[in-house]
Amino acid sequence: MSQQIEELLQRYVEEKQVAGVNLLLLKEKKEVLYAQAGYADIESKVPYNRDAINRIYSMSKPITAAAVMILLDRGLLSLNTPIAKYLPGFENQRVWEDGKSVPAKRPIYVRDCMNMTSGLVYGGEPHKASEETQALFDEIDCKLYTKQAMTTEEIANRLGQCHLAYQPGDAWKYGTSADILGAVVEKVAGVSFGEFLQKEIFEPLGMKDTGFFVPEEKRNRMPTVYEWCDEGIRVCKTNNLGIRYYKDEKPAFESGGAGLASTLDDYARFACMLMNEGSLDGKQILSKETAHFFTKGQMLPWQKEY
């Protein structure tokens, strides 16, 4: 099996589908396979090693959701609480419906953001709600490396002022819900989202290489980002979803949807905690009951049909 996986990964590299890749397979918290292929940087021929610190983008979302569940465990918030309780930008929301702007029939609840049934969307789609969101992220990008960089809370409130793509709870749609949850955690916990994650998840689990920025002494372990083009792949140094490409300092926007960097082994520890009823190596991050609830599907049948 190990040889087959290595050959498959190497084929992806040779076909220029990826520059480099690594893979870790665990069973019952025990490693059964590790494989890597290709380069963290093609030009300098740096191998794509096991300790590579990757921009994990949307793999940030499960960590953000776990942070919400920690607060739920402690009785500090409810899944049925309106987001507007913490973020005033979510008051009096409106929805694009059949080409018209109409009032939302009910508030967005924390539960809606956890399930991505909030009506919040990403940009880049042919829909007025998506166009408004894209315009906001364009503004975020313009300020990203300036003293006017927008904060986690500020961005969340601005997203709340964008139209929704559908009524809250009506359907599922991939979008900015996790970014809103990051801001909610800040408001409830009274500390920055990054500080909360560090204290409550990363430190207890020994996730020593995970965070919203990468210290200088570790940056040589960050792979170069590549993108597909007609010639195969090329270097890509663009910002994405309000996330700084250069993770050289603490960002103003600690994106719960896409902002974290991590390693294969760090993320494996997070996954093992979830599989082990909320604990790992004697550290109880979530209660057993909450871990069970968290790792089961919560969406209703009609929400899956969108």
Side-chain angles (χ1 to χ4, degrees), residues 203-217:
E203 286 183 4
L205 292 180
M207 297 171 66
K208 61 185 183 302
D209 292 321
T210 303
F212 287 110
F213 73 99
V214 179
E216 183 176 1
E217 65 272 15

Side-chain angles (χ1 to χ4, degrees), residues 287-305:
S287 69
K288 290 183 179 181
E289 295 77 13
T290 298
H292 289 161
F293 175 78
F294 181 43
T295 52
K296 291 183 179 179
Q298 304 296 328
M299 287 177 60
L300 300 170
W302 67 83
Q303 294 171 331
K304 302 178 182 179
E305 295 174 3

Side-chain angles (χ1 to χ4, degrees), residues 7-296:
E7 290 173 355
L8 178 64
L9 298 184
Q10 187 59 42
R11 193 176 79 206
Y12 287 155
V13 172
E14 291 170 358
E15 293 175 353
K16 295 187 177 180
Q17 296 188 49
V18 295
V21 60
N22 57 10
L23 181 148
L24 175 63
L25 178 62
L26 304 174
K27 184 177 181 180
E28 297 176 353
K29 298 190 297 177
K30 294 183 179 180
E31 181 175 330
V32 295
L33 184 147
Y34 172 77
Q36 67 182 52
Y39 301 103
D41 185 85
I42 296 173
E43 185 177 3
S44 59
K45 302 299 182 187
V46 175
Y48 205 99
N49 291 320
R50 181 164 178 152
D51 66 350
I53 300 176
N54 292 285
R55 301 159 179 84
I56 63 172
Y57 293 108
S58 283
M59 287 178 69
S60 305
K61 290 177 171 70
I63 293 176
T64 298
V68 173
M69 299 309 284
I70 290 171
L71 297 176
L72 178 71
D73 244 348
R74 297 174 184 174
L76 297 176
L77 61 69
S78 164
L79 295 180
N80 296 319
T81 301
I83 295 292
K85 176 180 178 180
Y86 309 108
L87 300 168
F90 281 78
E91 295 175 357
N92 304 314
Q93 284 194 287
R94 300 188 70 83
V95 183
W96 278 114
E97 225 172 55
D98 299 323
K100 298 179 180 179
S101 174
V102 301
K105 294 178 181 177
R106 69 161 175 83
I108 293 177
Y109 301 131
V110 173
R111 179 187 301 276
D112 296 315
C113 287
M114 291 288 282
N115 289 341
M116 285 204 177
T117 55
S118 62
L120 295 161
V121 294
Y122 279 128
E125 296 187 20
H127 188 288
K128 287 192 175 182
S130 180
E131 291 169 5
E132 289 180 24
T133 303
Q134 185 60 57
L136 173 57
F137 274 104
D138 289 344
E139 180 184 345
I140 294 167
D141 282 348
C142 286
K143 298 177 179 179
L144 205 54
Y145 289 97
T146 72
K147 293 181 179 179
Q148 290 76 43
M150 296 169 69
T151 66
T152 308
E153 183 178 348
E154 182 182 0
I155 289 171
N157 276 309
R158 289 285 301 278
L159 285 168
Q161 294 165 12
C162 294
H163 277 77
L164 304 178
Y166 52 81
Q167 292 288 345
D170 275 6
W172 180 92
K173 185 70 172 173
Y174 204 57
T176 59
S177 292
D179 290 320
I180 306 308
L181 292 174
V184 168
V185 170
E186 282 195 350
K187 297 293 286 185
V188 175
V191 297
S192 76
F193 185 41
E195 288 178 77
F196 185 85
L197 294 181
Q198 185 66 30
K199 179 182 177 182
E200 304 294 343
I201 297 177
F202 303 154
E203 286 183 4
L205 292 180
M207 297 171 66
K208 61 185 183 302
D209 292 321
T210 303
F212 287 110
F213 73 99
V214 179
E216 183 176 1
E217 65 272 15
K218 296 183 180 182
R219 281 179 217 144
N220 63 327
R221 291 161 51 195
M222 294 192 75
T224 300
V225 176
Y226 295 88
E227 63 181 351
W228 286 304
C229 62
D230 292 339
E231 295 75 34
I233 54 177
R234 64 187 176 194
V235 174
C236 174
K237 291 189 176 181
T238 59
N239 306 310
N240 185 39
L241 298 175
I243 312 304
R244 293 163 53 109
Y245 175 85
Y246 295 104
K247 291 190 171 293
D248 53 357
E249 62 180 60
K250 185 179 183 293
F253 175 35
E254 295 180 322
S255 167
L260 288 169
S262 189
T263 63
L264 205 60
D265 283 298
D266 270 15
Y267 209 90
R269 293 188 65 77
F270 173 73
C272 283
M273 177 274 291
L274 295 180
M275 291 188 291
N276 196 46
E277 299 182 311
S279 72
L280 187 69
D281 297 339
K283 304 289 186 179
Q284 194 78 40
I285 307 300
L286 298 171
S287 69
K288 290 183 179 181
E289 295 77 13
T290 298
H292 289 161
F293 175 78
F294 181 43
T295 52
K296 291 183 179 179

